[in-house]
C-alpha cells in the first residue's frame, strides 16, 4: 500500500510539473519586478532595507528570486496535495478566495522565517531578533508589498482555475495559437458512455445521477494524464478523450486507460454502493484516423475536431 501510494503521489507531481514551474517562475519574476519598481532610482537600488538586513543588494536579490521561486513551488504543492481536496465542494469564487488567503498566510510565515534566520546569527537572541523584525515591519513601507503579494496569489489562483478548465494538454496549444488555422492531424478518439443511464435516472433521480456522473468523471480525470489523454468534450453521461496517434499508440495508452478506469471504479465499489447503490460501468468506442483540428469560438474558445473519424466513433 505504501509503494502504491508513493507512485500515485509521484505521478501526480509529474503531471502537475508545468503548473508548479510556472508558479515558481511567476513568483520569482514578480518579486524581482516589485523591488525594481519600488526601489530603482535610475542607477541603482536604494532605500531597500532588506539589503541592509541581509548584507548586500546582490545577496538580497539572489535570496529574493530563489525565495520567490521556492514560495511559488511550495504554494503549488500545497494546492496540489492539500487545498484542492479540502475545498473541493465550495463554489469557485469562494474557493479561490480561501486558497489565496491560506497561501498568503504561508508566505507571511516564510517571510518572518527569512528575517529571523538572517538576523539571528548576529544577535543570538530570540527577543532581540523579534524586536528587530517588528521594527523593520513597522518602519518599512510594507503595505504595498503585502497588497502586491496578495495580488500575485490571486492571479495565480485564477490562472490555475483557467488551466484546469481548459485542460493541461489544451491550454498551451490555445495560448500559442497552434489551432488558429485548421490543420490536419492523425488522432485517436475514445467515447466513454455510462451504461443504463436512462434506467438509472428513473431509479435514482436526475440530481443523484448527475452526482454519480460527476464522481465517475472525476475518477477518470485523476488518471487521464497518466495516459496522456486529452479530454475533448463532456456530453451528458458521455466523455470524449483524444490522443495524437503517436502518443495514443505508445504503450497502448488508448486501450489501457479504459481498463484502468474500470479497475478504479471497482476499487471504489464501497463508495459507489453506499452513495448510489450501484457500481457504475461504461461502454467504450475507439477509432482513429485523419481529422481537421481548429480553434473555434470567441467568447468561449474550444479546440474542435471535424471529420468522419469523429462521426464514426460516435455511431
Amino acid at each position: 500500500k505504501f509503494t502504491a501510494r508513493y507512485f500515485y503521489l509521484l505521478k501526480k507531481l509529474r503531471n502537475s510539473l508545468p503548473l508548479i514551474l510556472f508558479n515558481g517562475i511567476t513568483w520569482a519574476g514578480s518579486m524581482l519586478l516589485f523591488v525594481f519598481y519600488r526601489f530603482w532610482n535610475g542607477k541603482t537600488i536604494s532605500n531597500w532595507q532588506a539589503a541592509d538586513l541581509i548584507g548586500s543588494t546582490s545577496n538580497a536579490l539572489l535570496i529574493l528570486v530563489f525565495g520567490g521561486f521556492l514560495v511559488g513551488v511550495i504554494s503549488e504543492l500545497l494546492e496540489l496535495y492539500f487545498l484542492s481536496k479540502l475545498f473541493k465542494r465550495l463554489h469557485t469564487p469562494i474557493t479561490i478566495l480561501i486558497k489565496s488567503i491560506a497561501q498568503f498566510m504561508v508566505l507571511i510565515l516564510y517571510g518572518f522565517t527569512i528575517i529571523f534566520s538572517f538576523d539571528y546569527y548576529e544577535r543570538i537572541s530570540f527577543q532581540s531578533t523579534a524586536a528587530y523584525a517588528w521594527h523593520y515591519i513597522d518602519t518599512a513601507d510594507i503595505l504595498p508589498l503585502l497588497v502586491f503579494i496578495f495580488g500575485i496569489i490571486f492571479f495565480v489562483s485564477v490562472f490555475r482555475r483557467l488551466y484546469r478548465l481548459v485542460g493541461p494538454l489544451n491550454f498551451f496549444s490555445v495560448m500559442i495559437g497552434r489551432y488558429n488555422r485548421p490543420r490536419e492531424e492523425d488522432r485517436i478518439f475514445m467515447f466513454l458512455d455510462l451504461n443504463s443511464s436512462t434506467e438509472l435516472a428513473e431509479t435514482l433521480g436526475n440530481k443523484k445521477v448527475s452526482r454519480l456522473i460527476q464522481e465517475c468523471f472525476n475518477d477518470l480525470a485523476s488518471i487521464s494524464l497518466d495516459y496522456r489523454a486529452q479530454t475533448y468534450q463532456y456530453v451528458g453521461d458521455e466523455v470524449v478523450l483524444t490522443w495524437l496517434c503517436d502518443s495514443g499508440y505508445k504503450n497502448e495508452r488508448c486501450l489501457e486507460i479504459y481498463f484502468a478506469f474500470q479497475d478504479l471504479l471497482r476499487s471504489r465499489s464501497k463508495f459507489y454502493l453506499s452513495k448510489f447503490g450501484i457500481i457504475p460501468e461504461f461502454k467504450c468506442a475507439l477509432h482513429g484516423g485523419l481529422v481537421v483540428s481548429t480553434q473555434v469560438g470567441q467568447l468561449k474558445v474550444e479546440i474542435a475536431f471535424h471529420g468522419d473519424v469523429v462521426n464514426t466513433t460516435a455511431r
Side-chain angles (χ1 to χ4, degrees):
K1 288 184 178 180
F2 174 80
T3 304
R5 181 66 177 172
Y6 170 78
F7 279 110
Y8 168 75
L9 294 176
L10 196 62
K11 281 184 179 181
K12 198 171 183 180
L13 179 65
R14 182 195 65 188
N15 293 335
S16 299
L17 194 59
L19 202 55
I20 292 171
L21 292 177
F22 172 84
N23 205 1
I25 293 170
T26 298
W27 270 103
S30 298
M31 297 306 293
L32 192 63
L33 181 64
F34 178 83
V35 170
F36 277 91
Y37 174 75
R38 292 284 296 170
F39 303 105
W40 181 258
N41 64 7
K43 296 181 179 180
T44 184
I45 296 175
S46 61
N47 300 322
W48 187 25
Q49 294 187 31
D52 298 331
L53 180 67
I54 294 171
S56 69
T57 300
S58 58
N59 286 343
L61 287 175
L62 183 62
I63 290 169
L64 184 75
V65 170
F66 177 75
F69 182 83
L70 188 62
V71 167
V73 170
I74 290 173
S75 65
E76 189 59 37
L77 292 175
L78 187 68
E79 159 69 22
L80 181 64
Y81 292 113
F82 181 67
L83 295 178
S84 60
K85 295 180 179 179
L86 189 62
F87 304 112
K88 186 177 179 180
R89 302 298 178 189
L90 295 179
H91 294 296
T92 297
I94 298 175
T95 301
I96 291 175
L97 182 60
I98 292 177
K99 288 180 179 179
S100 298
I101 293 173
Q103 293 181 10
F104 181 71
M105 297 306 296
V106 171
L107 181 60
I108 295 300
L109 181 63
Y110 171 79
F112 272 104
T113 304
I114 290 294
I115 293 174
F116 273 88
S117 62
F118 278 97
D119 195 61
Y120 185 78
Y121 288 105
E122 293 183 8
R123 302 179 189 276
I124 317 299
S125 168
F126 180 84
Q127 289 79 7
S128 61
T129 302
Y132 185 82
W134 177 253
H135 173 75
Y136 172 73
I137 293 170
D138 190 43
T139 56
D141 189 11
I142 201 169
L143 182 60
L145 176 61
L146 296 179
V147 173
F148 181 76
I149 288 172
F150 189 80
I152 299 172
I153 294 172
F154 191 79
F155 162 76
V156 171
S157 297
V158 172
F159 175 87
R160 184 189 298 112
R161 191 66 178 177
L162 292 175
Y163 180 82
R164 299 293 185 191
L165 287 173
V166 175
L169 300 179
N170 282 337
F171 184 82
F172 292 106
S173 294
V174 172
M175 293 300 293
I176 65 176
R178 183 181 180 184
Y179 296 107
N180 283 349
R181 293 185 177 181
R183 56 187 299 165
E184 289 187 329
E185 293 180 326
D186 277 318
R187 281 192 169 270
I188 302 167
F189 290 87
M190 173 179 282
F191 281 63
L192 280 165
D193 194 8
L194 179 65
N195 282 344
S196 308
S197 56
T198 304
E199 291 82 352
L200 288 174
E202 294 173 352
T203 305
L204 301 176
N206 291 331
K207 190 172 182 178
K208 206 164 185 178
V209 166
S210 180
R211 177 67 185 279
L212 170 66
I213 293 170
Q214 182 186 49
E215 290 290 345
C216 291
F217 288 170
N218 285 342
D219 284 342
L220 178 62
S222 70
I223 63 170
S224 61
L225 283 180
D226 296 339
Y227 297 89
R228 310 305 297 168
Q230 176 182 341
T231 302
Y232 173 33
Q233 284 180 336
Y234 294 103
V235 185
D237 61 348
E238 178 183 76
V239 60
V240 183
L241 304 178
T242 181
W243 297 260
L244 289 171
C245 280
D246 290 342
S247 176
Y249 291 146
K250 186 176 181 180
N251 299 324
E252 299 181 340
R253 289 168 175 165
C254 59
L255 292 172
E256 292 295 333
I257 189 173
Y258 174 76
F259 300 105
F261 181 43
Q262 294 291 81
D263 290 342
L264 180 57
L265 294 177
R266 283 192 288 267
S267 71
R268 298 192 67 207
S269 59
K270 290 183 179 179
F271 167 79
Y272 282 109
L273 287 171
S274 64
K275 290 288 185 180
F276 308 105
I278 65 157
I279 301 173
E281 294 182 353
F282 281 76
K283 54 181 176 287
C284 163
L286 189 70
H287 188 37
L290 197 64
V291 297
V292 176
S293 310
T294 185
Q295 184 174 309
V296 296
Q298 292 293 327
L299 297 178
K300 184 180 183 300
V301 176
E302 286 187 358
I303 298 173
F305 304 103
H306 305 134
D308 289 338
V309 172
V310 181
N311 299 331
T312 302
T313 317
R315 287 196 297 271

